[in-house]
Amino acid sequence: MGGCFSKPKPELHCSQAQPRRHRCTLSICPPDPHVEVKIEVVLPEKERAKEEMSPNGKASPLVYKVNGTARHYHLEEHPITINPYQNVKDVVEASVCHVKDLENGQMREVDLGCGKALLIKENGDYYAMGHKCPHYGAPLVKGVLSKGRVRCPWHGACFSIGTGDIEDFPGLDSLPKFQVKIEKEKVYIRASKQALLTQRRTKVMAKCISLSNYNISSTNVLIIGAGAAGLVCAETLRQEGFSDRIVMCTMDRHLPYDRPKLSKSMDSHLDQITLRPKEFFRTNDIEVLTETQVAAVDIKNKIAVFKDGFKMDYNKLLIATGNTPKALSCKGKEVENVFNIRTPEDANRVVKLASSKNAVIVGASFLGMEVAAYLTEKAHSVSVVELEEVPFKKFFGEKVGQALMKLKEVVLKSGKVLRADVCVIGIGASPATGFLKQSGINIDSKGFIVVNKMMQTNIPGVFAAGDAVTFPLALRNNKKVNIPHWQMAHMHGRIAALNMLAHGTEISTVPYLWTAVFGKSLRYAGHGEGFDDVVFQGDLDELKFVAFYTKNEEVIAVASMNYDPIVSKVAEVMASGRAIRKRDVELFVRHGKTGDMSWLTGKGS
Ligand SMILES: Cc1cc2nc3c(=O)[nH]c(=O)nc-3n(C[C@H](O)[C@H](O)[C@H](O)COP(=O)(O)OP(=O)(O)OC[C@H]3O[C@@H](n4cnc5c(N)ncnc54)[C@H](O)[C@@H]3O)c2cc1C
Ligand code: FES
């Protein structure tokens, strides 16, 4: 059993007789009125004075206790080392292999003397570039080479083998590109010091030439939101030569940071997760207004109104406000030790409060399970309270959900009290679009901003991107979908920027997401909503499997654990526009050909 929690046998504490004045009870809307679980949050000193017990709270019906086996960090949860090259000379030239060492369609890591490079042969030509993915440092040689690009095995970023440019996300940077020459049947790689040591952007960033004469309350491009979508939009504009003023505003106190890390490396220092340093914004003339909230948008006069009354004119607007965590409808939610994980401060504080104490997580969501896994190493006990019998059932199907559940045990069904020194709420989120209600921008019934394939709203010049939107997904016959994931937010930001510059670029990407549940990475590509069957290969009990989600005889999504690079491989086939037939996948599974994926290329039986 692939358990991954290190604290020896965490205990579940129920109904301990503690002085009432030190407690506050959370109640969670139950679907079943016969079942109740209360969470008693132990109040911190400051809160005790204003404590007021809620009446008998009712809660979700199931509580899972995490197992106490050792937690194994996946390599990708650690911060990346910035530059893999050491002791570099002005020019590095190395003979790296014989021409016969590499077949067409193969990749190989080769030694340059000062570090490694990725050597690729495709259609008789050789290419060389950086060997580590700039996102979290995955070895690209373990990824997928397909028609002029390499897809990362971990989270699906894609790089052109011709230029090293990043073509799909996550991650912000491109790969260094090196020269290859063949002499006397030997392959040589030549690289300048600059190519090896300089972090490559996709293109050289343009300078803003109108800074000196701008009006403080007027900008050309205003970006509301400094998450992945907002940042990629701003960077893409500069990469594409845009030289007018860009202002990005955020309610956050910080410059953009790696939000997915908040639940996976919860005690990371801000510096470790900041996506770009201050100098980057200064050098590239991207102004960031922190702790600034937009309260309304006047589309007729092209004005954004801030909460403090300040107004700013814009020419083009991007709304990338992400989402807001759902709150519990119960008493007790406002106490100091009940958290949503949205900021580095939240994550750091939870770790501190949970240290050797009792943590309760409400909601076995991606976020909830990641936090539970992380805290098990620190806390005395970690309990997860969930409404569903099988977590992730809707998303991953019953069997995958059950397999993940085997790492925990159901310990409490009803009528008990869980003691929580710290409580984390992970019950989902809703789009942060309330401020647009009266704006005239098209918002759907769930609050998502509706955009077309170019990330345009119904209002000319107003674009929207990221978690806050629904957009037509080409992969699923242009069905309007909301995909609240890191890779998609990057891609939306890029497409919005290109279309602000009138490139007429439509979004074409395969959704790719990952989660680090129980210290193991689960990868997922495609869009499986409405799947009618799941075809498995591997061993669910051992958490070494691939699951193909099918609908009407076609594969629409894939998930895997410990099965790299299958998800990247499937994503690459989907990206090429080829359909994957359920029949072919079943044949693959029946013959147990784990290594042979010829069916994926259309050459299989
Ligand atoms: C803890 C956590 C873990 C996650 N883990 C994963 C993962 O493992 N894999 C994955 O694919 N995805 C993960 N996600 C989801 C991922 O982080 C989001 O999909 C992504 O951040 C969305 O980017 P965005 O730019 O749309 O919005 P966000 O990153 O949410 O940024 C929104 C921005 O808008 C600002 N804003 C909001 N309203 C206003 C306003 N009125 N005025 C001014 N500014 C405003 C906010 O301050 C913020 O700067 C995780 C999310 C969280 C919270
Ligand atoms: S490490 Fe390559 S996409 Fe994340």
Side-chain angles (χ1 to χ4, degrees):
M1 172 90 51
C4 47
F5 297 91
S6 70
K7 201 81 181 170
K9 289 283 168 216
E11 290 291 309
L12 188 74
H13 290 251
C14 303
S15 298
Q16 292 201 337
Q18 296 287 334
R20 193 171 180 269
R21 65 195 160 79
H22 287 182
R23 301 274 181 273
C24 177
T25 308
L26 283 178
S27 78
I28 307 153
C29 306
D32 177 351
H34 305 297
V35 177
E36 70 175 40
V37 174
K38 286 184 281 187
I39 301 169
E40 270 194 356
V41 181
V42 183
L43 297 178
E45 289 294 330
K46 257 168 75 182
E47 296 283 349
R48 289 180 188 171
K50 52 179 176 172
E51 176 202 1
E52 197 186 280
M53 285 286 284
S54 67
N56 271 353
K58 291 189 172 180
S60 55
L62 293 178
V63 178
Y64 309 119
K65 181 175 74 170
V66 292
N67 280 348
T69 41
R71 167 178 160 78
H72 304 290
Y73 277 97
H74 196 282
L75 199 62
E76 66 209 68
E77 291 174 53
H78 292 289
I80 56 163
T81 38
I82 298 301
N83 200 300
Y85 300 105
Q86 306 289 330
N87 304 323
V88 182
K89 294 189 214 134
D90 285 348
V91 176
V92 172
E93 186 163 313
S95 160
V96 292
C97 66
H98 193 275
V99 284
K100 286 190 188 146
D101 292 340
L102 212 59
E103 298 289 328
N104 265 326
Q106 281 187 340
M107 305 189 276
R108 164 177 189 166
E109 272 183 3
V110 292
D111 192 7
L112 299 179
C114 58
K116 290 179 184 170
L118 182 68
L119 182 66
I120 295 163
K121 187 174 178 188
E122 196 176 66
N123 299 328
D125 292 322
Y126 292 84
Y127 305 86
M129 54 196 207
H131 66 297
K132 280 196 169 187
C133 179
H135 179 226
Y136 286 0
L140 290 172
V141 71
K142 295 192 173 163
V144 177
L145 173 62
S146 157
K147 293 201 178 127
R149 68 181 192 173
V150 176
R151 188 182 276 266
C152 178
W154 286 359
H155 318 115
C158 295
F159 303 92
S160 156
I161 62 172
T163 61
D165 286 352
I166 188 164
E167 292 185 345
D168 207 331
F169 302 94
L172 296 167
D173 292 314
S174 296
L175 289 169
K177 186 77 184 64
F178 313 129
Q179 289 170 4
V180 183
K181 66 174 182 181
I182 311 292
E183 259 178 35
K184 296 183 183 154
E185 305 283 288
K186 285 204 165 150
V187 182
Y188 291 82
I189 294 182
R190 189 184 153 91
S192 68
K193 186 171 185 171
Q194 201 200 2
L196 287 165
L197 295 186
T198 315
Q199 189 61 63
R200 268 209 64 215
R201 314 273 171 249
T202 307
K203 291 177 185 165
V204 176
M205 312 275 268
K207 298 296 286 178
C208 178
I209 51 172
S210 61
L211 266 184
S212 53
N213 55 7
Y214 73 71
N215 172 352
I216 190 82
S217 61
S218 157
T219 183
N220 199 305
V221 174
L222 175 63
I223 298 173
I224 312 178
L231 178 63
V232 172
C233 177
E235 290 201 18
T236 307
L237 287 169
R238 287 285 181 251
Q239 286 164 4
E240 294 297 317
F242 182 76
S243 57
D244 216 321
R245 189 178 183 208
I246 303 173
V247 174
M248 187 157 67
C249 65
T250 170
M251 281 157 60
D252 233 303
R253 287 166 60 184
H254 310 295
L255 292 173
Y257 52 83
D258 190 340
R259 206 180 290 286
K261 281 261 165 84
L262 295 184
S263 48
K264 300 173 187 70
S265 308
M266 294 182 69
D267 47 8
S268 295
H269 190 268
L270 182 66
D271 292 349
Q272 294 171 301
I273 58 169
T274 299
L275 293 172
R276 296 291 196 204
K278 236 186 212 160
E279 307 82 79
F280 175 88
F281 294 95
R282 208 174 300 132
T283 312
N284 296 297
D285 298 323
I286 297 167
E287 294 164 63
V288 188
L289 308 178
T290 53
E291 296 180 272
T292 305
Q293 183 175 353
V294 173
V297 175
D298 172 354
I299 52 154
K300 199 166 155 228
N301 298 304
K302 292 191 163 188
I303 292 172
V305 184
F306 294 83
K307 202 178 168 197
D308 62 6
F310 183 75
K311 292 182 179 171
M312 183 173 270
D313 301 347
Y314 61 82
N315 183 21
K316 298 266 163 38
L317 180 69
L318 177 74
I319 305 163
T321 45
N323 55 34
T324 312
K326 281 187 185 151
L328 286 175
S329 49
C330 60
K331 286 193 178 174
K333 64 187 178 184
E334 31 327 76
V335 298
E336 222 183 50
N337 44 349
V338 177
F339 291 85
N340 292 116
I341 307 287
R342 282 301 290 178
T343 65
E345 288 78 13
D346 292 338
N348 293 175
R349 185 101 182 104
V350 166
V351 176
K352 209 168 162 198
L353 287 173
S355 178
S356 305
K357 297 273 179 54
N358 303 304
V360 172
I361 318 297
V362 182
S365 57
F366 289 124
L367 185 148
M369 297 314 286
E370 288 177 355
V371 170
Y374 191 85
L375 289 184
T376 311
E377 212 179 46
K378 320 268 177 190
H380 171 66
S381 77
V382 181
S383 306
V384 181
V385 182
E386 168 58 41
L387 295 168
E388 302 288 338
E389 291 265 345
V390 178
F392 306 123
K393 184 174 161 189
K394 205 168 155 210
F395 199 89
F396 289 126
E398 188 143 10
K399 284 190 178 161
V400 173
Q402 271 168 352
L404 298 179
M405 241 180 69
K406 285 187 184 138
L407 290 162
K408 312 172 293 319
E409 55 186 292
V410 177
V411 292
L412 186 62
K413 286 228 169 187
S414 69
K416 302 281 184 175
V417 179
L418 283 174
R419 184 184 167 206
D421 296 295
V422 59
C423 183
V424 175
I425 313 294
I427 53 169
S430 34
T433 54
F435 69 106
L436 298 172
K437 268 192 185 134
Q438 310 299 326
S439 68
I441 295 168
N442 195 0
I443 310 274
D444 74 10
S445 58
K446 290 184 178 158
F448 294 111
I449 305 166
V450 181
V451 294
N452 64 14
K453 283 184 175 178
M454 296 198 280
M455 312 317 292
Q456 291 163 323
T457 67
N458 58 319
I459 308 297
V462 178
F463 296 76
D467 285 7
V469 308
T470 56
F471 69 102
L473 183 66
L475 197 68
R476 295 291 306 273
N477 297 325
N478 297 323
K479 184 178 172 179
K480 290 259 181 189
V481 293
N482 166 254
I483 300 189
H485 296 296
W486 195 237
Q487 172 260 350
M488 194 54 79
H490 284 63
M491 186 52 101
H492 282 180
R494 164 118 145 214
I495 299 294
L498 293 176
N499 292 313
M500 282 181 182
L501 302 174
H503 284 218
T505 309
E506 294 191 345
I507 188 163
S508 162
T509 183
V510 177
Y512 201 120
L513 71 102
W514 77 100
T515 177
V517 266
F518 319 116
K520 291 174 192 288
S521 274
L522 193 147
R523 319 197 190 288
Y524 181 97
H527 187 68
E529 198 178 280
F531 64 87
D532 54 28
D533 200 4
V534 191
V535 181
F536 292 97
Q537 162 84 338
D539 191 333
L540 281 159
D541 288 339
E542 291 294 320
L543 293 180
K544 184 174 171 40
F545 66 86
V546 50
F548 297 94
Y549 297 85
T550 63
K551 186 177 165 97
N552 303 334
E553 303 306 307
E554 198 178 307
V555 174
I556 54 171
V558 60
S560 86
M561 269 178 127
N562 286 312
Y563 231 92
D564 291 342
I566 188 111
V567 169
S568 288
K569 181 105 194 170
V570 171
E572 218 31 37
V573 176
M574 287 177 169
S576 74
R578 266 178 294 148
I580 302 173
R581 290 171 300 178
K582 181 179 178 183
R583 190 158 53 98
D584 291 337
V585 171
E586 283 171 338
L587 275 174
F588 161 72
V589 168
R590 203 172 310 141
H591 296 303
K593 296 181 198 165
T594 50
D596 176 10
M597 295 193 282
S598 55
W599 56 274
L600 271 178
T601 60
K603 294 177 203 146
S605 48

